[in-house]
Amino acid sequence: MYETLEIVRDGGVATLWMNRPDVHNAFNEQLIAELTAACRQLDADDTVRVVVLAGRGKSFSAGADLNWMKRAGNASVEENIEDARKLAGMLRTLAEMTKPTIARVHGAALGGGMGLASACDICIAGEGAVFATSEVRFGIIPSAISPYVIRAIGARQAHRYFQTAERISAGRAAELGLAHEATAADGLDARVQDIVTALLQGGPKSQAAAKDLIRAVADRPVGDDLVEDTARRIASLRATPEAKEGLAAFLDKRPAAWVPA
């Protein structure tokens, strides 16, 4: 179905491979459109439990395709706004998926590639991975990716890296909170699989509700409205079939029905 992507399924796990290795999986109009469509497709598929985002070839994603950037430089303001909306929409679609998402990062994750890694729920970086918000070196800003990068590293660190465009190693990315873990390059797939296995133990509806909970609670002051909201959220789940099955499985000392055999 896709020219710039490859989807590989293994049980309830879908690995979404960006497949433009000759240009280090750089973005162009087609990749943006196909990533948006693929994220929607996988999110609507009840057989998919976890989505892993990865890149074929030497890099995760080197950001914007230079030919695409050249075309944007010659386009009108209105055309550039529409183009930017599509990029921002793709990142939001990824970030708001109801399924758990993991960025499997190796090689370059620059500009929009760093945005993709930040938009995923979990980021595992192999040794040798390199991140950067490199946009200022092209005379632009990391605008579309900024909500997700700032969410990951905080405004204080963003002040530095948005302006210096310094390269960030896998180890430094883990220190900043951009990557949850940095691991040996030859152990990257095994570590991603460990996270996948842990995710498959959780109830799919409760995981979706947990993601929504984070969006609702993050950066809000603790007041009566927030306390009431959190109380209603847990109360609404306690009587669901998934919650009843989870409790029964715990009491019976058996795996819950959603855990793969």
Side-chain angles (χ1 to χ4, degrees), residues 1 13 46 65 97 101-102 133 138 144 154 161 176 183 204 257 259:
M1 292 179 60
V13 182
D46 289 339
D65 185 293
M97 290 183 73
T101 56
I102 305 172
T133 49
F138 298 96
Y161 291 106
L176 292 170
T183 187
V259 178

Side-chain angles (χ1 to χ4, degrees), residues 198-217:
L199 288 168
L200 292 174
Q201 308 304 303
K205 288 184 172 57
S206 63
Q207 286 171 333
K211 292 179 70 165
D212 190 58
L213 172 67
I214 294 165
R215 286 191 291 268
V217 170

Side-chain angles (χ1 to χ4, degrees), residues 1-5 16 27-41 68 83 86-87 89-91 93:
M1 292 179 60
Y2 302 108
E3 294 182 15
T4 65
L5 302 173
L16 183 55
F27 290 166
N28 62 3
E29 304 95 319
Q30 186 175 11
L31 180 57
I32 290 169
E34 291 189 355
L35 273 172
T36 304
C39 287
R40 289 173 178 165
Q41 172 196 341
W68 178 51
D83 220 27
K86 290 176 181 177
L87 173 58
M90 179 270 288
L91 290 163
T93 299

Side-chain angles (χ1 to χ4, degrees), residues 125-126 128-131 166-176 178-179 182:
V130 178
F131 301 82
E166 292 169 90
R167 297 295 177 98
I168 302 168
S169 68
R172 178 61 175 155
E175 292 173 358
L176 292 170
L178 173 60

Side-chain angles (χ1 to χ4, degrees), residues 4 20 23 26-32 64-81 83-84:
T4 65
R20 302 186 75 215
V23 291
F27 290 166
N28 62 3
E29 304 95 319
Q30 186 175 11
L31 180 57
I32 290 169
D65 185 293
L66 292 178
N67 290 323
W68 178 51
M69 290 180 69
K70 288 178 183 177
R71 289 194 295 274
N74 294 322
S76 68
V77 172
E78 291 75 16
E79 290 170 328
N80 268 294
I81 290 173
D83 220 27

Side-chain angles (χ1 to χ4, degrees), residues 31-176:
L31 180 57
I32 290 169
E34 291 189 355
L35 273 172
T36 304
C39 287
R40 289 173 178 165
Q41 172 196 341
L42 295 173
D43 211 30
D45 187 341
D46 289 339
T47 67
V48 175
R49 291 286 319 279
V50 178
V51 176
V52 179
L53 180 63
R56 293 292 191 197
K58 295 181 179 180
S59 297
F60 177 72
S61 174
D65 185 293
L66 292 178
N67 290 323
W68 178 51
M69 290 180 69
K70 288 178 183 177
R71 289 194 295 274
N74 294 322
S76 68
V77 172
E78 291 75 16
E79 290 170 328
N80 268 294
I81 290 173
E82 185 58 30
D83 220 27
R85 282 176 178 152
K86 290 176 181 177
L87 173 58
M90 179 270 288
L91 290 163
R92 183 177 182 183
T93 299
L94 172 63
E96 294 185 356
M97 290 183 73
T98 59
K99 314 292 174 69
T101 56
I102 305 172
R104 174 201 179 277
V105 180
H106 76 294
L110 310 178
M114 183 165 161
L116 287 174
S118 302
C120 288
D121 298 329
I122 300 165
C123 174
I124 308 298
E127 185 181 26
V130 178
F131 301 82
T133 49
S134 48
E135 286 83 352
V136 292
R137 297 193 180 181
F138 298 96
I140 55 176
I141 54 174
S143 192
I145 70 173
S146 62
Y148 314 104
V149 176
I150 292 172
R151 180 181 67 182
I153 70 174
R156 182 63 172 164
Q157 296 294 349
H159 273 283
R160 173 178 174 174
Y161 291 106
F162 280 20
Q163 296 183 88
T164 66
E166 292 169 90
R167 297 295 177 98
I168 302 168
S169 68
R172 178 61 175 155
E175 292 173 358
L176 292 170

